[in-house]
Amino acid sequence: MTDGSRLADNLEHIRARIVEAARRSGRMAADVRLVAVTKYVDVDVTRELIAAGCRALGESRPQELWRKAQAFVNESLEWHLIGHLQRNKVARTLPLIRLLHAGDSLRLIEAVNEEAARTTNEPVPLLLEVNVSGDPSKHGFQPDELEPLGERLAALARVRIDGLMCMAAREGDLDRTRRDFERLRQLRDQLRAVWPGQLALDELSMGMSGDFEVAIEEGATIVRVGSSLFEGVVP
């Protein structure tokens, strides 16, 4: 059995840090969504997190998202896939998620569009993953690849491009991290100026446990926090 009170305290503390980071950047905390990343924990700990009041949950692996979504099929939850999605897993994943964070290639986005055209009348909301750090081990578009794709993305009737997502460089201090987040925000602003108007790009998904406050200061609308939620709860 986990320490549910410690988990609730962690959640409250992270929410307080979100409020303060938003205040420092002249924003409202309500403009920042917390997605709790449950890839580190099992179903029992996830259940405690839900009981503590967290309803937006993120997974990196589709198979684990399937498993947890089934475990909580009777709960009103908002699932986010924040990791790479292979095209052969699109059909099973799309009905379960509120937002796909890792639209990391045109081939994947076109596969999502094709599947959605077969199965739903509603566009699938997704974020374009951008490799702002230049890390060769990361998925995502290179920043200079995106501008020419605006018309092509706008033509996909069953996909809704809600914004951009990134992960900061694995190595480096918070100054380097801030530059990565700043670059994503600037890229979003640049694309808004030249892309078709239906590509609103309102969302910026950036920031994890070690840097989510910096991400908020640089304009994040979604932060993906995992390990900090579970400190003192799981080994």
Side-chain angles (χ1 to χ4, degrees):
M1 197 68 179
T2 62
D3 185 348
S5 62
R6 176 62 184 271
L7 200 157
D9 288 345
N10 289 350
L11 178 58
E12 181 179 358
H13 180 58
I14 285 172
R15 285 175 169 162
R17 291 168 63 189
I18 289 172
V19 169
E20 181 59 22
R23 185 198 63 77
R24 286 196 301 271
S25 56
R27 303 170 62 204
M28 299 292 292
D31 295 332
V32 182
R33 284 190 285 167
L34 169 64
V35 173
V37 179
T38 53
K39 68 178 184 177
Y40 306 99
V41 298
D42 61 19
V43 166
D44 288 338
V45 177
T46 303
R47 184 174 289 108
E48 296 281 0
L49 181 64
I50 295 166
C54 198
R55 317 297 292 185
L57 308 176
E59 283 289 336
S60 292
R61 296 177 62 247
Q63 297 96 319
E64 185 64 12
L65 188 148
W66 303 343
R67 187 176 76 88
K68 288 200 174 100
Q70 179 60 38
F72 299 108
V73 68
N74 295 321
E75 296 275 0
S76 178
L77 301 176
E78 179 181 311
W79 287 102
H80 295 240
L81 185 69
I82 61 175
H84 177 62
L85 177 62
Q86 294 173 308
R87 285 176 294 141
N88 63 357
K89 296 180 174 65
V90 165
R92 188 168 176 182
T93 302
L94 291 190
L96 303 175
I97 60 174
R98 176 68 61 86
L99 181 63
L100 171 62
H101 289 236
D104 56 21
S105 72
L106 192 57
R107 290 183 72 195
L108 171 64
I109 296 167
E110 289 175 337
V112 169
N113 185 71
E114 290 169 8
E115 178 61 27
R118 284 193 293 269
T119 60
T120 180
N121 291 323
E122 295 297 323
V124 174
L126 63 80
L127 308 178
L128 303 175
E129 182 173 359
V130 185
N131 187 353
V132 292
S133 70
D135 184 339
S137 69
K138 285 185 168 65
H139 295 283
F141 292 94
Q142 296 302 311
D144 59 1
E145 289 181 308
L146 284 176
E147 186 170 325
L149 297 179
E151 295 289 347
R152 193 165 177 181
L153 292 170
L156 300 176
R158 291 293 188 267
V159 166
R160 192 181 78 213
I161 308 297
D162 278 359
L164 307 180
M165 174 268 209
C166 79
M167 298 176 66
R170 291 182 179 177
E171 297 182 1
D173 57 20
L174 285 180
D175 288 337
R176 166 69 188 275
T177 297
R178 186 181 295 278
R179 289 194 297 272
D180 287 342
F181 295 154
E182 181 184 28
R183 189 177 187 194
L184 191 74
R185 173 172 48 79
Q186 291 173 340
L187 176 63
R188 188 273 306 275
D189 294 345
Q190 170 191 328
L191 295 175
R192 272 180 163 172
V194 296
W195 273 9
Q198 67 265 43
L199 301 175
L201 304 180
D202 291 329
E203 304 286 3
L204 288 177
S205 172
M206 54 190 192
M208 300 187 293
S209 286
D211 53 29
F212 70 87
E213 289 155 305
V214 171
I216 292 169
E217 291 168 2
E218 292 302 325
T221 63
I222 303 172
V223 293
R224 314 177 303 269
V225 179
S227 57
S228 292
L229 278 169
F230 307 112
E231 289 179 1
V233 177
V234 295

